[in-house]
Amino acid sequence: MSDNDNDAVIILGGGVIGLSIAYYLSKSPDFRRRIHIIDSAPRLLESASGYAGGFLARDWFKPECAALGDLSFELHRQVADEHGGQRRWGYAGSHVYSMSLQGEAEGSRVEDWLLEGTSRAAAVGRRTEGHVSAPGEVVNGDGTPAWMVTQDGASWNVVSGAEDCAQVEPRRLCEFLHEECRQRGVEVHLSSRATGVVMDGDGSIVGVKITSTDNQPCGPRSLRCSDIVVAAGCWTPRIIESLFPRNRTKIEIDPLAGHSILYRTPRYAKPFMNVAHGQQDKFHGKDENIAYAIYCPPTESWSWAPEAYARLNADSKPEIWVGGLNHDGTVLLLPELATDTKKLISRESLAELRKVAVTLTGLKATDSQVAEDDLEVEWEGLCFRPVSRTGVPIIGQISPKDLGVGFHNTLGAKVWVASGHGPWGISLSLGTGAVMGDLVEGREPRVDLSALKPESRMGSKL
Ligand SMILES: Cc1cc2nc3c(=O)[nH]c(=O)nc-3n(C[C@H](O)[C@H](O)[C@H](O)COP(=O)(O)OP(=O)(O)OC[C@H]3O[C@@H](n4cnc5c(N)ncnc54)[C@H](O)[C@@H]3O)c2cc1C
């Protein structure tokens, strides 16, 4: 391979989607082409993929991406089983509960508060399925998991069991994908941005022009390729606009900000449930620990629907992630670089987030209604969900005609998009990587993607 292999694949964006695509392409036995991941940030995982909650579901999706959701859920389990994901990125089946708290905002139901396609809570509101109980589960008097504070006047429902929901540590999953890609020769170019396409004399796209985002000289100024995959989350529309200024379409993906917090509490000191020997079949795998997901509606005390995830992390330490659609409502402009997102963190939003975390999981003195803050915070973060206007991801090729590069390019590089996964990019990541691998290799994708194609949603630009 040389720097100018004509048939290289260039993936723009090194979040969980870009990494998953590179993972499946580089894993394919017949695939011998060079793969480049170009990311504008100086470090990977400063975006949603590094700060997400890590909740996975099999079938909480709109019909258009139900098959992709099911495929992806199976692949998460398969990859975890093959590579020790239970230990390396905290993969575990998850029990899921919804909890209504005293003082729930009057007349509110979770799904009224949230735009479709932007939160899991809307799906929770529609579900009350059976609970797969297992031996060893430690619960409070009211039946809630023991790491939660017993809430006076609260009621709760079991939403789903570990056979259809799971959790991972998103950052560790991405690190695993990155390491596998690196070992198979995938090249990651950080602090780099594609600023234009290279055309041959016939007007066919034959490569991309690369410039540095940190004013340092960076490798070759252009990379030849036969496929360009734009998988840059919320930044995807900007990339399409800048590479194809004459494009007559728009990829509609909006950034939806969310603060989150990861912490430990003394009450979640060890995994609550080891599936007893002989019970594994019930959980369809080798899960030894069970994670917990709790969804709460807005209350008089907070205006958003918190999501709390408790799991054993890859360092064998129990941790809790709390987040949700909790940004205070001011419009946050997507920064140029993912690393600059930190500058937008709102102290007020973080303070409210911590108040929620303490209310749900802080130390509750027996004679007090108010929980105390004894949480040990690992990190507090802000990131942007890439939300498509239709609430499902956009996956497929953008035709040369739509890109405005002319008909000559039928022989030039193909341009693909894989983005707009909203609040579900971790769950849908491996499935997206696998089907994009199929498409780039010229195979029929393993699940029907016709409802996710870019063409089906593009409006004309006036
Ligand atoms: C608070 C929160 C909680 C979430 N919880 C969950 C969850 O529990 N389960 C779930 O399934 N999903 C969850 N999500 C959603 C999930 O995190 C996203 O859908 C997913 O991470 C999107 O991945 P991505 O690779 O498309 O984009 P990103 O992770 O945003 O990655 C985009 C990458 O593109 C790079 N980039 C930007 N501009 C350029 C450029 N010009 N050139 C090259 N590269 C560029 C960025 O630096 C970044 O590395 C959550 C999201 C948020 C915000």
Side-chain angles (χ1 to χ4, degrees), residues 305-387:
E307 308 174 0
Y309 304 138
R311 60 181 169 237
L312 192 69
N313 73 14
D315 299 322
S316 300
K317 292 186 177 150
E319 66 183 18
I320 300 174
W321 179 100
V322 176
L325 283 184
N326 54 9
H327 177 59
D328 61 14
T330 51
V331 176
L332 289 184
L333 289 182
L334 188 67
E336 269 310 295
L337 296 181
T339 32
D340 289 338
T341 308
K342 280 193 172 65
K343 296 176 190 163
L344 304 173
I345 285 179
S346 149
R347 288 289 131 205
E348 293 75 38
S349 294
L350 281 185
E352 188 180 66
L353 183 58
R354 187 147 180 164
K355 190 176 81 181
V356 173
V358 170
T359 305
L360 295 177
T361 64
L363 174 68
K364 187 168 184 194
T366 42
D367 56 350
S368 164
Q369 294 299 309
V370 185
E372 290 170 28
D373 186 344
D374 65 343
L375 311 180
E376 191 187 323
V377 175
E378 285 289 301
W379 53 250
E380 296 167 320
L382 169 69
C383 58
F384 292 94
R385 301 164 184 87
V387 179

Side-chain angles (χ1 to χ4, degrees), residues 57 155 164 356:
S155 65
D164 288 327
V356 173

